[in-house]
Amino acid sequence: MAPAKATNVVQLLLGSTALWLSQLGAGTVAASKSVTAHLAAKWPETPLLLEASEFMAEESNEKFWQFLETVQELAIYKQTESDYSYYNLILKKAGQFLDNLHINLLKFAFSIRAYSPAIQMFQQIAADEPPPDGCNAFVVIHKKHTCKINEIKKLLKKAASRTRPYLFKGDHKFPTNKENLPVVILYAELGTRTFSAFHKVLSAKAQNEEILYVLRHYIQKPSSRKMYLSGYGVELAIKSTEYKALDDTQVKSVTNTTVEDETEANEVQGFLFGKLKEIYSDLRDNLTAFQKYLIESNKQMTPLKVWELQDLSFQAASQIMSTPVYDAIKLMKDISQNFPIKARSLTRIAVNQHMREEIQENQKDLRDRFKIQPGDARLFINGLHVDMDVYDLFSILDMLKLEGKIMNGLRNLGINGEDMSKFLKLNSHIWEYTYVLDIRHSSIMWINDLENDDLYITWPTSCQKLLKPVSPGSIPSIRRNFHNLVLFIDPAQEYTLDFIKLADLFYSHKVPLRIGFVFVLNTDDEVDGANDAGVALWRAFNYIAEEFDISEAFISIVHMYQKVKKDQNILTVDNVKSVLQNTFPHANIWDILGINSKYDEERKTGASFYKMTGLGPLPQALYNGEPFKHEEMNIKELEMAVLQRMMDASVYLQREVFLGTLNDRTNAIDFLMDRNNVVPRINSLILHANQQYLNLISTSVTADVEDYSTFFFLDSQDKSAVIAKNMYYLTQDDDSKISAVTLWIIADFDKPSGRKLLFNALKHMKTSVHSRLGIIYNPTSKINEENTAISRGILAAFLTQKTRFLRSFLGQLAKEETATAIYSGDKIKTFLIEGMNKNAFEKKYNTVGVNIFQTHQLFCQDVLKLRPGEMGIVSNGRFLGPLDEDLYAEDFYLLEKITFSNLVEKIKDIVENMGINSNNMSDFIMKVDALMSSLPKRASRYDVTFLRENHSVIKVNPQENDTFFDVIAIVDPLTREAQKMTQLLVVLGKIINMKIKLFMNCRGKLSEAPLESFYRFVLEPELVSGANDVSSLGPVAKFLDIPESPLLTLNMITPEGWLVETVHSNCDLDNIHLKDTEKTVTAEYELEYLLLEGHCFDKVTEQPPRGLQFTLGTKNKPVVVDTIVMANHGYFQLKANPGAWILRLHQGKSEDIYQIIGHEGTDSQADLEDIIVVLNSFKSKILEVKVKKETGKIKEDILTDEDEKTKGMWDSIKSFTIRLHKEEKKEKDVLNIFSVASGHLYERFLRIMMLSVLRNTKTPVKFWLLKNYLSPTFKEVIPHMAKEYGFQYELVQYRWPRWLRQQTERQRIIWGYKILFLDVLFPLAVDKIIFVDADQPQGNGWISFLENRILGITSFKTEIPYQDLPNDMIYQVAIKSLPQDWLWCETWCDDESKQRAKTIDLCNNPKTKEPKLKAAARIVPEWVEYDAEIRQLLDHLENKKQDTILTHDEL
């Protein structure tokens, strides 16, 4: 009975609307008109299997090769399976190596084709080889190619004599312990039989350490399918129709393109039409008609009154907040993306006053804490800020992958919920400190003391004087040792002369600086002062200091160095003797300098201290313990650097005095040296080595550390976890204490180097507060009982002894005399110490076996990549090695300090409150630290909360019993950010488990419409497949049910670094009038280029090098594109695509005057002059390039010659560009004209303007046209027009630099591009250039007038009418006002002056609103003639095209 009733209700409802439906007319029942846009890559679709392999490679190189083994011949299923089945098969294979979250992220990566550029990059590298003809796969062995497996052996024979290939950072190297092997690069398509055959041979050779095997993707027959992209926005903006901008020659678009029913609006005004049509299929037509009626009635676009706008944002928020929570974000998406047709209905919503009050309270709190203003948008994922302006989906994917890795690791450690949130919000500050040396050392000879010397007795002593104002650049003179300079003096080197001069300069000018010397001298006991100037200097210094004082000793040294000959610069014994004899005539020179001198004590301490500091080669100097850079080591640089650091330190000290942490009772030196960043030794291995972290978190695999055969087959993570689980430790005396830092030392302890490492580690353990020590054995030779005598003793002791006795016994075994005795036949039991459990030790020592050493050695080889016997150290999972030099106890202290002060201290605080038993706490801290610290350093995490969440925050809870991402969103529902963010949140909700809080950050008192466009953000959680398992067009922006009356403009909003062009459209995308079209408007775009951007600076001047040119190319085609460095920010921009490119200085003056001395963001090492840049991602690529002038070219300028110094800058550019492009010698001058057009009407004007120019000059003409906004039709026609009328043309294309203010309104963007081109980006080869508006017909022979003059760039800037230059440019460009005849406009000029007009501007008339087409025909009589002529040409081309199509069809 119920279904029948429901049917009656539906029929009644439909019947009651019959009258309304009839009024709408039959057209309404048909599917409504729509607009679709999609974007394809320029390269063909790349195989998903290869993209999956790149996803794996980002996980780890090991996973890449494991995945590769699993899918060796998977591509054969491509022929037999459907696309959808093959896609699922790839996911199933990937699932063997990924958790559920990462499988979802792989689907998302497929959806946005994130790894396609990486595949295409390898394809371009292969094309540059180039591939041998007809090969499915081929190998390159040191420049020799073959696609025959049986030729590999022959090519390897002499490979070492040929050049070794360059390997990229993204290359896939087969895991091996040796790098210096012949390199075999396989170019092949993963998953094919050919690949599999090559791989079996090459992997076997790599495992035998015969070759270094590198795999690069190569697809011999790329797909014929286009690859459609996502991650961009599409906007349908509503245009003003005050002035008609439509081209009346445009024929109504008739297209059979349809949009599938299921993509049409399903829910309309509360009716779920999809469901209704399912239930009442017999009423389908009536329901469709009713649906269309409701849609049309919903499309009211009457402009709102100002008073209706004021609360619109709060009204939208009220409607969203009143919706069930799971639909709220979808509703916000609908309102924001379709605002023009939603606005009217929003005005009828009553604002929830509780919501308004709560929003305002939260806004005040957000403004105070985070400087977030009403209307601002922010998005935080696990506290990490996602930049809403850039909105780079590819970076978001990377972030989700990393976050997923850490969250799964924490979950595997048993951490969930709030505890996980605490760990995620930890901010790592790895290497934030500049580490400084402790200068409280006896080997530093201080030549003055500000606190005690009489020289400074008149200075104030109170540090309060620091707060008194001083003149800029000066340093307060206070009698405290706040500033300390240490100079390392080696009299045998030339630099010492400069150091002594500098010390004298500071001392004699009473600079408030304590100066100390470390004498680095000859340590040979046999050497004396008679034949070594350094020893003589030391003995003389000690004599004078003892007999008089240290200040006198320093003054004498200065005198000695004043006697050094200018051509030598090195002190001699005679210089020392001369000063001693002259200044101290009664002294016995040889008693002081000779072999029996009593003034030679502690000569070696300086050299010892220098070695212990870990500083690099001399010269070296320290300011308050901080080393100077190598380039600061000459006297002028060092003087300025010292003074600058003193000024910086004064600011720091002022702050500390103000805060009360520094006062008159504080010891100045202790205050400076007790800071966290002060260390006893600076070891570059510890501070600056590449960070490699072990993953110590166990998977489900269990294995005994002595079970070598099982251990052999484990992957790196499981091997590391087994080692960690079975490690024994030397701890502090109190076993219950938490050891927050876990140190493992790796060595062959049966070798002296290993025992020395153990000795220094034990020395550190005596004073350590936080560390525990574990041992990993890496024997040098074949493992047996004889050559592991010491190692077995160490192991047995760890297994049987308590901490106190263990430390003492290990110390005994670390001594060389113990090892010598044991190897000479002494029993190890003779070295046991009192208190040890001797029986347990002896029993274990005799039965321990060598299995554990084999397992440890395999771990060192496979995971740490150490060869047998090589040493290393692991600190909380961070591996350092191989160690090339001794590690001192001070190094262990430094390592402990860095490890503890990074994250460990915070982790320990959290762990202590978690209720874990102390036995497991140290392990737990080690594993969490290894996991957290392994992440790349990122921006800070923010802990964003809201004061109140009852009425203004959408809260969506995550699925229970699973890890979740914490998402905080702040957005005004009526903003462009809401249009983008809502789609992202909808998609994220399908990929990851999220806990969302979305705050309505509404603006009040709106005075204009907050949005003027329809918007779609193209993004899906996984690849879209069409009906019947056939791949669809893929990601597409669909605008359904759009009102037909407004005039619309279609805009693409793409990620930074994308250059996109329209390749096909069935109407004028600048002026879409749906009532003039039938059915669907389609727009096809192509990603033409990925931009390579950068900034370049002169290292010396720190300014952009004016006029410097770069080229980008490949080894076979060195120059593909070139560019000039701008004066603004040293910015440059190059158009490229995925591949490996070489960035060079342009041949000519750029290369002659400058050299590249450093670069960041590239693939190559900083010392390579040819910069290799790899584009393998959709993400922006920004380089930093440092250059400096060649020696002897310091005074030369790229933009000037010696004979040109009197010319202006623009003259210089002009002559420079002529020189650069000598190859383009022209017999005649060419008239260069630049113009911009957008939309069919202005393109029509542009063609007419071009013809009018050609009709008014006999000079050859070249047109420069901005390509970014030209329609496909125009680009198709322009070559034919050029051929017909005999002109040259060039389409220029560039992207608005990110550092310039971004515009959103299309006309302002186009206008900005015009300025940008004319001001900085016009081609350097152009000698003459004129800007002409597209709607500016030419008259009265002005071109003839100009072409007889010298028209360079200067005259363009000063003499050509350029009404559109902004006012503020008059300060950069000399602009001269010209008579009115140069630009006649009907709006402000009379008819009489028209006769003299040189150019006519078809400016809009605000009184008549006359369309430009009409005005042009009326004002410029010849316009109609030109228009008709061009129309004739276009018709001819169209007919020719149709004939070609018909002929092709017949064939």
Side-chain angles (χ1 to χ4, degrees), residues 121-131 138-145 163-168 171 185 187 216 1111-1121 1139-1144 1147 1170-1173:
M121 177 267 292
F122 284 118
Q123 193 75 350
Q124 184 255 27
I125 293 169
D128 208 37
E129 280 290 353
F138 64 99
V139 292
V140 180
I141 304 173
H142 294 223
K143 295 199 168 181
K144 296 279 185 181
H145 301 60
T163 310
R164 192 178 171 87
Y166 179 86
L167 297 182
F168 302 97
D171 268 327
I185 302 173
Y187 290 89
R216 291 177 182 165
T1111 63
L1112 194 69
T1114 62
K1115 65 180 181 184
N1116 292 332
K1117 193 177 178 186
V1119 181
V1120 176
V1121 287
W1141 303 92
I1142 302 170
L1143 185 76
R1144 295 187 179 98
Q1147 280 189 334
D1170 279 353
I1171 304 178
I1172 295 170
V1173 182

Side-chain angles (χ1 to χ4, degrees), residues 1111-1318:
T1111 63
L1112 194 69
T1114 62
K1115 65 180 181 184
N1116 292 332
K1117 193 177 178 186
V1119 181
V1120 176
V1121 287
D1122 61 6
T1123 191
I1124 189 169
V1125 175
M1126 284 189 199
N1128 304 43
H1129 302 280
Y1131 178 75
F1132 61 88
Q1133 187 181 102
L1134 290 153
K1135 298 191 286 280
N1137 263 314
W1141 303 92
I1142 302 170
L1143 185 76
R1144 295 187 179 98
L1145 292 173
H1146 195 290
Q1147 280 189 334
K1149 290 205 83 177
S1150 289
E1151 194 178 51
D1152 292 345
I1153 295 175
Y1154 281 95
Q1155 59 173 306
I1156 295 169
I1157 58 164
H1159 42 87
E1160 290 178 24
T1162 63
D1163 193 79
S1164 51
Q1165 295 164 356
D1167 54 356
L1168 282 181
E1169 200 157 312
D1170 279 353
I1171 304 178
I1172 295 170
V1173 182
V1174 169
L1175 284 177
N1176 61 354
S1177 163
F1178 285 119
K1179 289 180 284 189
S1180 294
K1181 186 87 168 177
I1182 302 173
L1183 309 181
E1184 297 282 341
V1185 182
K1186 292 276 175 69
V1187 296
K1188 77 170 186 180
K1189 287 185 176 177
E1190 297 276 9
T1191 310
K1193 307 273 186 178
I1194 303 299
K1195 293 185 179 177
E1196 289 196 34
D1197 189 336
I1198 290 178
L1199 299 181
T1200 55
D1201 277 345
E1202 286 303 310
D1203 59 346
E1204 290 181 326
K1205 286 187 177 172
T1206 56
K1207 294 184 181 181
M1209 181 183 168
W1210 294 109
D1211 282 307
S1212 304
I1213 290 184
K1214 171 188 153 188
S1215 55
F1216 158 65
T1217 57
I1218 293 168
R1219 285 196 308 276
L1220 258 184
H1221 294 260
K1222 281 183 245 180
E1223 68 277 10
E1224 295 179 19
K1225 287 179 182 170
K1226 305 165 191 142
E1227 290 175 23
K1228 293 181 181 178
D1229 272 346
V1230 171
L1231 197 61
N1232 290 282
I1233 292 185
F1234 172 58
S1235 196
V1236 177
S1238 174
H1240 289 189
L1241 175 67
Y1242 277 82
E1243 287 175 352
R1244 183 175 170 190
F1245 282 138
L1246 179 59
R1247 286 190 288 261
I1248 292 161
M1249 180 274 286
M1250 292 163 75
L1251 189 53
S1252 75
V1253 168
L1254 295 166
R1255 289 283 191 265
N1256 282 282
T1257 182
K1258 292 176 183 173
T1259 304
V1261 179
K1262 181 167 184 178
F1263 292 102
W1264 298 82
L1265 307 173
L1266 184 66
K1267 185 181 181 183
N1268 299 45
Y1269 295 99
L1270 291 176
S1271 70
T1273 311
F1274 187 91
K1275 287 180 285 190
E1276 190 182 337
V1277 164
I1278 191 75
H1280 301 288
M1281 197 172 162
K1283 189 177 177 185
E1284 178 74 19
Y1285 292 109
F1287 62 81
Q1288 299 174 54
Y1289 73 94
E1290 191 154 328
L1291 303 180
V1292 291
Q1293 190 181 19
Y1294 43 91
R1295 177 139 185 159
W1296 192 254
R1298 67 187 71 223
W1299 44 266
L1300 282 175
R1301 184 175 174 179
Q1302 303 298 307
Q1303 298 292 331
T1304 54
E1305 206 256 305
R1306 189 184 181 98
Q1307 284 314 115
R1308 293 186 67 82
I1309 295 169
I1310 293 170
W1311 190 79
Y1313 271 103
K1314 179 165 50 175
I1315 299 297
L1316 194 65
F1317 178 83
L1318 292 167

